Amino acid sequence: MENTHIVKSFDRDLTQIENMILEMGGMVENQIMLSINALIARDEDLAKTVRAADKPIDALESAIDENSIRILALRQPLASDLRHVVCAMKVASNLERIGDYCKNIAKRTVALSGHDSVGSSEKTLKRMGQLVQQMVRDVLDAYVKKDLAMAEELILRDEEVDHMHNTLFRELLTYMMEDPRNITSCMHLLFIAKNIERMGDHTTAVAEQIYYVVTGELPEDDRPKSDMTSQIVVSAEGDLI
Amino acid sequence: MNIQTHIEETVMPVPSASPTPIIEVRDTQVFYGEKQAIIDVNVEIEPNAVTAFIGPSGCGKSTLLRCLNRMNDVIPICRVEGSITLAGQDIYAPEVDVVALRQKVGMVFQKPNPFPKSIFENVAYGPKINGLTKHKLEMEEIVETSLKRAGLWEEVKDRLDQPGTGLSGGQQQRLCIARAIAVQPKVILMDEPCSALDPIATATVETLIDELREKYTIIIVTHSMQQAARVSQKTAFFHLGELVEFGTTEQIFSAPRQERTQNYITGRIG
């Protein structure tokens, strides 16, 4: 923030919240990578580590909430300060959800142990994971810099994740139709793909919060929504439509 | 009287989204001798709403407020240029009767200043000198209604003959509001009405302000931004004699457009 407050401790309070968000974001980013790695390698120990590492993320979210509420109560922030504090709470809640999805991937990794990968689906999952991880990294960067252009670009970038999710959805449905023995694996992989797709949505929500902090307005809801999986059905002939 | 008829016309309910302003300030400059206190201010005051003037000390907010009922006339070196209209009537026109103007545009000050008379006489004084009524019964009615509207009636109805100065600070301020209401004004100007009051008395006065806007247009000068945020619908931010930003209170306090507004209300400039 270019201008400092007359009350210096107010600046310190705001900076502290921002630092906590960054710490939380870093942890979440790491969780995405580890949960996907554990899945690909069927590494149950790593999956266990991921599940345990979700606790400190949740704790950090509570701490950010507490700090934000304290600032609201004691300092009654206004204008950009108000947006900053309210946004911190929302960003923390979105990051916490991303953390939960990583934990869920880790749980499913345990269920998938002993099942081989199906087709190229896990490669796609890995690419999706990398994409979302990069989005989280960039959104945190945009958050620190209050970079409007970057936030807007991120909102659009989520489309790519949605496209990959659509492709994977069709692919996994096909495998299940080919051989019912694939169903257990494919169902779990499908949920994992959905988890990653949701992570992208939460990252987009964070980008929207950045837009609000900077401009004081929420972005218009005209971003591309490309998740078509809720409309895909299998016809009587066994075709995907 | 001229002003009276004009007001009667504009107070008719206007169904449109932005009602006809009751006060219009156009290209107004105010000088104290050589020093310019108000620079080129344009502002429109919405009827039946609370408008807050905020800004650091010496920004001109009180000066502008005092222009609205010509309280600045008593300061010999004060000069007002531009145009200020009340319901379309230029209040600085030579034919305007200042006493009649101040009946239409009442004022409540920072420190409660009841007359050293009884509670009843404090409220009755204005209507009496303005010749609003001649009958004792009618006067009693005016006093009761005014005290009721000011939210003070229940507390003082059994001791109307006791001195107004014997009331608590918050009660005295509400007595001053009752006194302002008694002459049936259209606009009430309030200059820091709560700065000498404790939080409870402040809350009572703020509740009252919110109720009063149903019948009156209120303009309040306040140093407390929280108070401006709580009681007003429109907020004007002044700095160094200029009107920097004017908008809905919600917009000014959540997403101000001007950097100076932003810096002031977040506590970065005093």
Side-chain angles (χ1 to χ4, degrees), chain B residues 30-251:
Chain B
V30 180
F31 300 85
Y32 291 118
E34 291 297 302
K35 194 188 173 314
Q36 186 163 8
I38 292 283
I39 306 160
D40 240 344
V41 166
N42 285 283
V43 69
E44 294 181 350
I45 305 294
E46 206 177 285
N48 297 94
V50 181
T51 301
F53 287 179
I54 60 167
S57 297
C59 69
K61 56 189 190 301
S62 288
T63 296
L64 185 66
L65 189 79
R66 282 153 185 275
C67 288
L68 302 180
N69 67 350
R70 292 181 57 173
M71 290 295 281
N72 286 337
D73 286 13
V74 297
I75 304 168
I77 56 164
C78 181
R79 195 169 89 244
V80 180
E81 289 174 8
S83 117
I84 299 175
T85 58
L86 172 68
Q89 168 89 13
D90 182 359
I91 64 168
Y92 280 89
E95 70 272 16
V96 169
D97 175 355
V98 178
V99 175
L101 170 70
R102 290 179 194 152
Q103 182 203 325
K104 292 294 156 217
V105 185
M107 194 155 192
V108 176
F109 297 88
Q110 183 167 358
K111 257 187 86 187
N113 54 354
F115 304 132
K117 288 168 180 282
S118 72
I119 294 171
F120 185 92
E121 281 171 285
N122 260 283
V123 183
Y125 184 77
K128 202 185 289 171
I129 63 158
N130 279 295
L132 290 184
T133 171
K134 288 189 174 63
H135 306 288
K136 189 167 169 287
L137 220 62
E138 222 175 329
M139 182 60 87
E140 280 171 1
E141 210 178 288
I142 291 179
V143 171
E144 183 177 336
T145 317
S146 305
L147 284 169
K148 274 183 178 161
R149 282 197 191 147
L152 195 59
W153 177 248
E154 288 304 320
E155 292 159 57
V156 301
K157 62 180 178 191
D158 300 324
R159 45 172 171 153
L160 292 173
D161 54 341
Q162 288 174 25
T165 46
L167 297 171
S168 75
Q171 288 172 326
Q172 286 188 23
Q173 195 60 305
R174 279 180 284 145
L175 178 62
C176 293
I177 293 173
R179 187 176 63 188
I181 291 171
V183 292
Q184 296 163 12
K186 295 297 171 195
V187 180
I188 305 173
L189 309 177
M190 298 186 174
D191 195 351
E192 297 273 358
C194 298
S195 59
L197 306 183
D198 70 35
I200 303 292
T202 299
T204 319
V205 171
E206 285 180 4
T207 310
L208 173 61
I209 291 173
D210 194 49
E211 287 164 7
L212 289 176
R213 80 183 156 95
E214 201 181 305
K215 289 201 159 42
Y216 312 96
T217 301
I218 294 168
I219 306 171
I220 178 169
V221 161
T222 173
H223 269 126
S224 159
M225 280 175 284
Q226 308 302 336
Q227 179 170 63
R230 285 192 300 260
V231 302
S232 70
Q233 287 76 51
K234 290 287 198 73
T235 296
F237 168 61
F238 292 87
H239 190 229
L240 303 173
E242 290 172 48
L243 175 64
V244 177
E245 189 165 354
F246 183 47
T248 64
T249 299
E250 192 190 335
Q251 179 251 314

Side-chain angles (χ1 to χ4, degrees), chain A residues 98-134:
Chain A
I98 297 179
D100 283 352
Y101 287 124
C102 294
K103 184 172 150 190
N104 188 265
I105 292 176
K107 276 189 194 166
R108 292 182 189 279
T109 295
V110 177
L112 279 169
S113 68
H115 289 82
D116 286 334
S117 64
V118 191
S120 63
S121 60
E122 290 186 20
K123 277 199 193 109
T124 315
L125 281 177
K126 186 168 187 180
R127 282 211 311 281
M128 272 177 89
Q130 285 165 340
L131 204 63
V132 169
Q133 192 196 350
Q134 187 61 45

Side-chain angles (χ1 to χ4, degrees), chain A residues 14-204:
Chain A
L14 293 175
T15 311
Q16 194 195 3
I17 291 201
E18 197 163 281
N19 288 339
M20 288 167 90
I21 293 275
L22 289 185
E23 189 188 348
M24 191 180 173
M27 287 159 84
V28 167
E29 198 190 312
N30 202 36
Q31 286 282 86
I32 300 174
M33 185 185 69
L34 294 182
S35 64
I36 303 283
N37 285 351
L39 169 73
I40 309 286
R42 299 288 192 272
D43 184 338
E44 287 187 52
D45 287 339
L46 185 54
K48 209 185 254 173
T49 313
V50 170
R51 288 172 67 176
D54 190 50
K55 278 215 175 69
I57 295 178
D58 290 356
L60 206 45
E61 192 213 0
S62 303
I64 290 169
D65 274 0
E66 267 172 40
N67 258 350
S68 304
I69 288 169
R70 189 175 53 81
I71 293 180
L72 289 173
L74 303 185
R75 307 235 185 246
Q76 289 123 39
L78 291 168
S80 68
D81 294 337
L82 175 64
R83 303 202 298 269
H84 184 99
V85 175
V86 171
C87 161
M89 294 174 82
K90 291 200 172 184
V91 169
S93 135
N94 277 293
L95 290 174
E96 191 271 336
R97 290 298 301 154
I98 297 179
D100 283 352
Y101 287 124
C102 294
K103 184 172 150 190
N104 188 265
I105 292 176
K107 276 189 194 166
R108 292 182 189 279
T109 295
V110 177
L112 279 169
S113 68
H115 289 82
D116 286 334
S117 64
V118 191
S120 63
S121 60
E122 290 186 20
K123 277 199 193 109
T124 315
L125 281 177
K126 186 168 187 180
R127 282 211 311 281
M128 272 177 89
Q130 285 165 340
L131 204 63
V132 169
Q133 192 196 350
Q134 187 61 45
M135 280 173 73
V136 171
R137 186 177 302 156
D138 290 348
V139 91
L140 291 170
D141 214 22
Y143 176 75
V144 176
K145 294 178 185 156
K146 301 287 177 279
D147 187 332
L148 192 61
M150 204 164 169
E152 287 177 312
E153 185 270 324
L154 271 158
I155 293 171
L156 297 176
R157 208 195 296 175
D158 185 47
E159 201 179 359
E160 215 174 319
V161 179
D162 288 349
H163 281 311
M164 289 172 95
H165 181 234
N166 290 339
T167 313
L168 206 54
F169 189 92
R170 289 170 163 273
E171 191 182 334
L172 290 167
L173 267 186
T174 312
Y175 292 140
M176 286 192 270
M177 286 188 293
E178 274 172 15
D179 187 348
R181 280 172 299 180
N182 284 332
I183 287 178
T184 305
S185 298
C186 285
M187 282 308 294
H188 281 299
L189 292 172
L190 209 51
F191 275 113
I192 289 170
K194 185 74 195 166
N195 284 345
I196 302 175
E197 190 268 327
R198 291 297 296 147
M199 290 183 201
D201 291 346
H202 284 287
T203 312
T204 306

